[in-house]
Amino acid sequence: MEELQIEGTVEEVIFENESTGYRVFTLDCDGTSVIAVGTCVSIYPGELVNAVGSWTEHTTYGRQFVCAEIEKSFPGELDGITKFLISGAVRGIGPATARKIVERFGEDSFDIMEHEPLQLTQIKGITKDRAQKISDAFRETLGTRETLMTLHEMGITPAFAVKIAREYGAFAPQAVQQNPYRLWEDIEGFSFQNADNLALSFGMSPADELRVGYCVKYILTHNLQNGHCFLPKAKLLPLGAQYVDVNEEEVEIAVENMCERHQLEQAVINDQEVIYLPAYYKAETNIANKLKLMLQFSRQEIKDVDARIRKSENALGVLYDEGQRDAIRTAVENRVMVLTGGPGTGKTTTLRGMIALFESLNYRVALCAPTGRAATRMSQVCDRKAKTIHRLLEIQPGSKVFVHNGSNPLKCDVLIVDEMSMVDTLLFDALLEALPLGSRLIMVGDADQLPSVGAGNVLSDLLHCGSIPIVSLVKIFRQAKTSMIVRIAHQINRGERPPLENSGDFFYIPKKTPQGTLEAAVEMVVNRIPRRYGSTVLDGLQVIIPTRKTLTGTINFNSVIRDRVNPEQPGKKSVHFRDQVFREGDKVMQIRNNYDLPVTTNEGKDEAGVFNGDIGIVVGIYPREKQMKVQFEDKIATYGYDQLDELEPAYAITVHKSQGSEFDAVVLVMGETTPLLQYRNLLYTAVTRAKKLLVVIGSRQVFDNMVANNKQKRRYSGLKYLLKSW
């Protein structure tokens, strides 16, 4: 096909996909309006475009010019300069200010902003300080454009080019050239494979020690997703050799050199040599050392403790059983303890009794949980303010450093942590570091739920180390026995096949085919539950599915249900990102910790940080600013378009993503599920997410397979052994 060339001024940007750089825009070519499509790092109204490509006839949109190459330059005429500045290309210049600048300085506007910013003070409302900020922003735009173009020429996609330029500034191309693997370490979402391909394209030898070393780091980092804090050296070396196609001796040399430089750490755990990433070696050893110090404090006898417990009973209007009394007594007489128990065993009542007794002793009590939903529930049942662990520790703006640490400890005498099964190694390390040495630590959790999403096996290791006082509540109280949800949960936990009989809070709808399961689940979510119970998938109702893929997985279910409950409508804004479309009104989930994201709390306080598992609603999309706002439970977060890979639809979520949350109503979809996900504690965790209503739809065989399979995935963690060695 013959390549042609066109020149024109950008009139309007019709569509942009920030992840791929694909854009649709109109060009004014000597008075003729042309629709052009192509890929470039950015484009703004008013810019001059010189494009090489060909004409095509689109079935829907008509004649278009498909750009194979796009060269851009700043506009030189007044109309183009005005359009460019109004478009938002220069941070801090709104439409009114843009027009004033062009009216005053005409075709010299760009030159004034770059070289003589003080002249901008001739315009009413522009101070010296603001003039300098405008100049800095304009020069940043100039530099960023050149940097982005250079990165694009290296083969880096527009979305990642923007992130890289933001991270490294004007020196981004040099930084990438010197060590492409930094992109995998520093740029969220940039894959190791892409970094490795860049390194090889720059001429790096396949056996280069830098490449081998980063491959080892990648393998260890990848296995964090499987919960492993380390890998045995005997497993790591052949994996590394296979990945980069070198012999094991070369991998071992690279590992030894990295251990000498403390880029990796070597230790002996359970009589085998293991290799850690430094952060996880430090975290596990810090946790063990802090707990050992706390456990060295002598057991503290509290005078008249049984009388105080009876007083607490009278005040709360309850009667504790012996297990609950033992738990309260253990909490007040020891520096560290773990309280476990399944649903209906009275953990909440026990917690309230502990708090009442501690407060009667004038102890300062702090409550926290890993997720916002868990903290909210803790606040409600304990009638005390509870915070997420991140908010309790407080993130320093612009960093991943907590305000509260060893130098600035928390101000509390007792810290109670709920949902300990969700707490991973790094978070527990940060929490313990901030805990005053003389205080008490009470950890509450259900040992039979899934372990944390992050690496480590914290709760299990604490329960099996043999060093920490533990109280397990086993009695199911009379009120809980009336709940079929509670009964089924305990039957699952014991490995018994539940009858799945319909009752007041539980219903089972058998379906033999994936299509039938999908259709029944959609009908239940869209119509039946909202009509009968008032809960909707946007408020109180959550769909939980073991798997992401297949016809009945979360990916497809989210697509189907979203088009039913939040369809596209005139005036409802949307934004495309990669293969995803976000629409105002969508239910979304944050899928990784972001300590720097701008947040405004419901009380109007500016903070930073949104965390893995937070669920919210898209409340605003702003194309001009290239931003999207999401209302979470207690805050509104502002995302740049290039940060949308941190979100995914949440009409349906996996069991792992549901940890730490409870929902009034749960629809549990048991469709096509890989055998790798058919195990007992995953089913138990899913069932115990429902408070008032649980509807199970799908295959009884899959359900029974999960009940029967009590195999648990092994996690490599050293905390149990480090505590046992004491």
Side-chain angles (χ1 to χ4, degrees):
M1 185 179 292
E2 182 185 0
E3 284 198 336
L4 304 172
Q5 183 172 338
I6 62 171
E7 294 183 357
T9 301
V10 179
E11 293 180 308
E12 181 185 6
V13 180
I14 300 171
F15 171 81
E16 297 179 281
N17 186 320
E18 290 294 334
S19 60
T20 63
Y22 179 79
R23 305 177 198 277
V24 181
F25 51 95
T26 57
L27 288 175
D28 179 358
C29 301
D30 292 328
T32 301
S33 184
V34 170
I35 295 179
V37 299
T39 300
C40 57
V41 290
S42 64
I43 201 160
Y44 294 99
E47 286 188 296
L48 304 178
V49 167
N50 186 321
V52 175
S54 57
W55 291 100
T56 186
E57 193 71 28
H58 193 279
T59 55
T60 303
Y61 301 107
R63 196 166 187 247
Q64 298 178 340
F65 190 81
V66 180
C67 306
E69 298 178 16
I70 297 176
E71 289 186 5
K72 301 178 298 173
S73 58
F74 280 142
E77 297 182 356
L78 292 181
D79 184 54
I81 293 171
T82 304
K83 285 182 179 178
F84 181 79
L85 292 179
I86 287 175
S87 71
V90 180
R91 179 169 39 85
I93 297 181
T97 302
R99 292 189 180 92
K100 290 177 183 178
I101 290 173
V102 176
E103 287 172 5
R104 179 68 183 82
F105 300 108
E107 295 178 1
D108 295 328
S109 296
F110 289 164
D111 188 61
I112 293 293
M113 285 191 291
E114 183 178 7
H115 300 294
E116 301 179 66
L118 289 180
Q119 289 203 41
L120 294 173
T121 60
Q122 297 175 32
I123 297 172
K124 185 177 180 181
I126 298 183
T127 63
K128 288 184 179 181
D129 181 60
R130 189 181 176 199
Q132 189 58 54
K133 287 181 178 178
I134 290 173
S135 178
D136 292 343
F138 181 71
R139 281 182 286 174
E140 180 184 331
T141 299
L142 288 175
T144 300
R145 282 163 60 91
E146 294 176 7
T147 299
L148 292 176
M149 291 304 298
T150 304
L151 293 172
H152 189 54
E153 290 166 4
M154 288 179 172
I156 295 170
T157 63
F160 281 122
V162 171
K163 289 186 176 184
I164 293 165
R166 184 181 293 136
E167 179 73 20
Y168 303 130
F171 296 101
Q174 296 93 312
V176 172
Q177 189 79 39
Q178 289 169 4
N179 183 1
Y181 297 103
R182 289 181 62 184
L183 301 181
W184 167 66
E185 289 187 304
D186 298 340
I187 307 301
E188 193 70 58
F190 201 95
S191 72
F192 178 82
Q193 190 60 59
N194 284 341
D196 194 40
N197 290 340
L198 270 180
L200 294 173
S201 74
F202 293 160
M204 181 176 288
S205 165
D208 191 292
E209 187 173 317
L210 181 70
R211 180 173 185 251
V212 176
Y214 267 101
C215 167
V216 170
K217 290 182 70 174
Y218 166 70
I219 292 170
L220 290 170
T221 303
H222 176 76
N223 275 279
L224 296 175
Q225 300 172 32
N226 298 322
H228 302 314
C229 290
F230 60 75
L231 285 181
K233 191 175 181 181
K235 288 182 177 288
L236 179 62
L237 297 184
L239 283 173
Q242 182 181 3
Y243 196 91
V244 290
D245 197 22
V246 298
N247 60 54
E248 287 188 32
E249 288 75 16
E250 289 175 288
V251 179
E252 187 167 21
I253 290 170
V255 168
E256 288 175 354
N257 290 339
M258 293 174 78
C259 287
E260 286 181 7
R261 296 190 295 267
H262 295 289
Q263 294 170 322
L264 298 174
E265 295 288 349
Q266 184 167 301
V268 176
I269 298 293
N270 197 24
D271 299 326
Q272 62 178 338
E273 288 187 63
V274 304
I275 304 297
Y276 279 93
L277 291 168
Y280 287 85
Y281 174 77
K282 179 183 176 185
E284 287 212 320
T285 53
N286 283 350
I287 290 168
N289 290 335
K290 181 66 174 277
L291 289 176
K292 289 175 185 178
L293 280 174
M294 294 181 70
L295 290 166
Q296 285 176 6
F297 281 84
S298 60
R299 181 181 174 93
Q300 185 173 0
E301 298 292 338
I302 302 294
K303 186 177 180 181
D304 299 326
V305 65
D306 289 322
R308 290 179 180 275
I309 292 175
R310 287 194 295 273
K311 186 176 180 180
S312 169
E313 286 179 318
N314 293 333
L316 297 173
V318 297
L319 181 63
Y320 304 127
D321 79 337
E322 191 49 44
Q324 293 173 308
R325 288 173 175 275
D326 184 36
I328 297 170
R329 193 180 297 110
T330 302
V332 297
E333 292 180 347
N334 292 273
R335 296 293 183 180
V336 182
M337 78 159 290
V338 177
L339 173 66
T340 69
T345 57
K347 292 197 302 293
T348 296
T349 303
T350 306
L351 272 184
R352 294 175 65 194
M354 289 179 183
I355 294 168
L357 200 153
F358 282 128
E359 290 179 343
S360 74
L361 294 168
N362 295 318
Y363 288 2
R364 296 168 299 174
V365 180
L367 309 180
C368 65
T371 66
R373 286 181 176 272
T376 299
R377 188 178 73 252
M378 194 180 188
S379 296
Q380 292 168 346
V381 299
C382 294
D383 197 25
R384 303 288 190 283
K385 177 66 175 176
K387 298 181 179 181
T388 63
I389 296 175
H390 289 93
R391 184 158 288 175
L392 179 73
L393 297 178
E394 298 181 51
I395 292 288
Q396 288 184 2
S399 76
K400 296 182 181 179
V401 178
F402 291 112
V403 171
H404 291 290
N405 49 43
S407 302
N408 180 28
L410 296 165
K411 294 177 174 59
C412 65
D413 303 305
V414 180
L415 178 64
I416 302 177
V417 188
D418 199 8
E419 294 287 355
M420 268 300 296
S421 63
M422 288 191 65
V423 178
D424 62 44
T425 300
L426 293 186
L427 188 58
F428 192 46
D429 176 37
L431 186 62
L432 281 185
E433 184 187 357
L435 188 64
L437 190 58
S439 61
R440 284 172 171 75
L441 174 64
I442 299 164
M443 296 166 283
V444 185
D446 187 339
D448 297 308
Q449 288 185 20
L450 289 171
S452 60
V453 174
N457 213 14
V458 174
L459 180 58
S460 178
D461 281 352
L462 295 177
L463 291 171
H464 295 97
C465 70
S467 305
I468 294 174
I470 299 165
V471 176
S472 297
L473 301 178
V474 294
K475 177 182 176 181
I476 303 175
F477 285 86
R478 182 165 51 88
Q479 303 94 311
K481 286 182 179 178
T482 63
S483 167
M484 181 64 79
I485 297 172
V486 171
R487 288 166 58 190
I488 287 175
H490 283 278
Q491 287 171 325
I492 291 169
N493 210 15
R494 294 192 297 266
E496 300 171 3
R497 184 179 184 268
L500 301 189
E501 297 170 349
N502 293 344
S503 68
D505 64 356
F506 174 82
F507 296 90
Y508 171 55
I509 302 174
K511 293 292 175 182
K512 294 183 177 180
T513 67
Q515 185 64 40
T517 300
L518 178 67
E519 291 173 358
V522 170
E523 171 65 17
M524 185 64 63
V525 169
V526 174
N527 295 317
R528 294 181 63 181
I529 290 178
R531 278 201 305 261
R532 182 168 178 181
Y533 295 95
S535 295
T536 72
V537 77
L538 296 174
D539 183 20
L541 168 61
Q542 183 61 58
V543 180
I544 298 178
I545 308 176
T547 186
R548 289 174 55 84
K549 299 178 180 178
T550 75
L551 182 69
T552 54
T554 59
I555 294 174
N556 185 56
F557 197 93
N558 272 312
S559 176
V560 172
I561 206 71
R562 183 263 196 111
D563 288 339
R564 295 288 298 274
V565 302
N566 188 33
E568 187 175 359
Q569 293 177 350
K572 183 178 285 187
K573 296 175 186 173
S574 62
V575 57
H576 292 248
F577 187 86
R578 295 185 182 166
D579 57 352
Q580 190 61 253
V581 178
F582 293 100
R583 188 177 295 155
E584 288 177 331
D586 270 345
K587 183 179 184 180
V588 294
M589 172 182 279
Q590 176 78 12
I591 59 172
R592 62 178 67 100
N593 290 338
N594 185 331
Y595 297 92
D596 303 322
L597 199 68
V599 165
T600 302
T601 67
N602 291 350
E603 295 80 29
K605 182 180 177 183
D606 290 333
E607 292 184 352
V610 179
F611 307 107
N612 189 7
D614 286 351
I615 295 177
I617 303 293
V618 177
V619 292
I621 293 174
Y622 308 93
R624 184 176 177 275
E625 294 83 0
K626 296 187 177 181
Q627 291 181 341
M628 186 170 88
K629 291 185 183 293
V630 178
Q631 172 73 64
F632 292 99
E633 189 165 4
D634 57 352
K635 59 200 172 192
I636 294 180
T638 302
Y639 294 80
Y641 280 2
D642 61 316
Q643 296 171 302
L644 296 183
D645 57 349
E646 299 185 9
L647 293 167
E648 65 180 26
Y651 299 102
I653 60 177
T654 62
V655 182
H656 287 88
K657 291 294 186 182
S658 74
Q659 284 179 265
S661 298
E662 279 189 348
F663 308 95
D664 286 344
V666 167
V667 171
L668 177 56
V669 180
M670 308 295 289
E672 301 169 282
T673 305
T674 171
L676 294 175
L677 290 172
Q678 293 184 25
Y679 52 95
R680 186 183 300 169
N681 66 345
L682 186 127
L683 177 61
Y684 174 78
T685 300
V687 167
T688 53
R689 299 310 90 201
K691 287 196 296 185
K692 300 177 181 178
L693 175 68
L694 173 64
V695 180
V696 177
I697 301 175
S699 167
R700 176 70 202 235
Q701 185 61 54
V702 171
F703 192 100
D704 289 347
N705 289 346
M706 296 177 79
V707 173
N709 182 10
N710 197 30
K711 293 180 181 178
Q712 297 192 15
K713 293 182 179 179
R714 181 178 181 182
R715 289 188 166 206
Y716 289 117
S717 62
L719 182 58
K720 175 174 67 174
Y721 303 100
L722 292 169
L723 286 168
K724 275 185 175 180
S725 65
W726 176 50

